[in-house]
Amino acid sequence: MVQKTFRVSAVIVWLSSVSLGILTTVPKIAEKHPNGFEAITSALITTSFTLFVWYFNIYSLPKFTKEHSSSGFSYPLLFRSIAIGMVLMFLMVGAQKLAIPSLDFGPVVLMFEVRGIMINLIFYMLLHLLYQTHRNQQVILELERSKADNLGAQYELLKQQVNPHFLFNSLSTLKSMVELEDRNSVDFILKLSDFYRFTLENRKLDLISLAEEIEILDAYMYLLKARFEEGIELEYRIPEDVYRTWIPPFTLQLLVENCIKHNVVSLDKPLHITIYEENGLLIVENPLQLKKNPEHSTEVGLDNINRRYFHLLNQKVQIENDQEYFRVKLPLIHENRNH
């Protein structure tokens, strides 16, 4: 991450310097017999000195704080600024003495030196506060950027998990069909090829339309029908306008896959899966007819879906199990948030 350079607005620098210079003329103007020229030179000295303190510390502060103090407070920089300031103030008061010979040099130079030290202390503390605020903001921004990059990387991994998981299950299905010498094996391979074409087209997207997701699911169901025939049924009860909402790719396919993994699917006991909309949620529902010896769970399916929804919407999917039906409720997404 590129570090932002520490800067103080020139308006603040000049406005504060000029204002302080004008304020120092008040005692002179308030005298019984004010000396206008002396008041002006005093204001110029104070303004010029304050500008020096500002810019000297602005350009020196980042270097000195890194070299001399983990806390950011640099005593060497402060003492150096005071020392140089005292010499500079002495020279400026000397120039004022040349311009105003009647000036009582000793008391005036002492007054200006004390003023210079006070200006140095006050403005260094102010700059230190501004600089530490700047550094803290940079750290926070860097942490936020790292967090965002990390979340993005995690999300990309989530999307990449879908394809290997599906491929494993599809090859297992194909293996079973080949072992049974199923005549539909060739068609299955062709449909599997078509399905992976969908995968390649949509794998880089965060969201696709529900209509496209249904098209992918229909292709997947063809592959399942090749194996289970009438042992699995899928019913849609989705209003027309809901087809225009958005969904993370392969969400429905993973949910159907999860149903098959945990439930009996047979001609004697068909698995009936229903997808419908209710109260602003897309619901995938199946009756519970659990296997006695369920397949080993890789915990990719529901966890993957849940984490993708949380990443995109900061919401989790709702899972219900009333001992008769198992339901997964997905929030409807009405806005395309790809990338």
Side-chain angles (χ1 to χ4, degrees), residues 49 53 57 78 81-82 85 116-124:
F49 184 81
V53 171
N57 284 285
L78 177 59
S81 178
I82 290 174
I117 292 172
M118 294 300 297
I119 291 173
N120 252 308
L121 288 172
I122 293 171
F123 281 87
Y124 179 80

Side-chain angles (χ1 to χ4, degrees), residues 270-284:
L271 179 64
H272 187 85
I273 303 170
T274 307
I275 300 176
Y276 60 97
E277 184 271 339
E278 185 179 88
N279 299 325
L281 298 170
L282 186 67
I283 302 172
V284 180

Side-chain angles (χ1 to χ4, degrees), residues 276 285-288 319-327 329:
Y276 60 97
E285 176 186 273
N286 66 276
L288 284 173
I319 300 173
E320 290 184 0
N321 183 347
D322 61 8
Q323 305 305 314
E324 186 176 353
Y325 286 91
F326 183 83
R327 301 180 187 88
K329 299 183 176 182

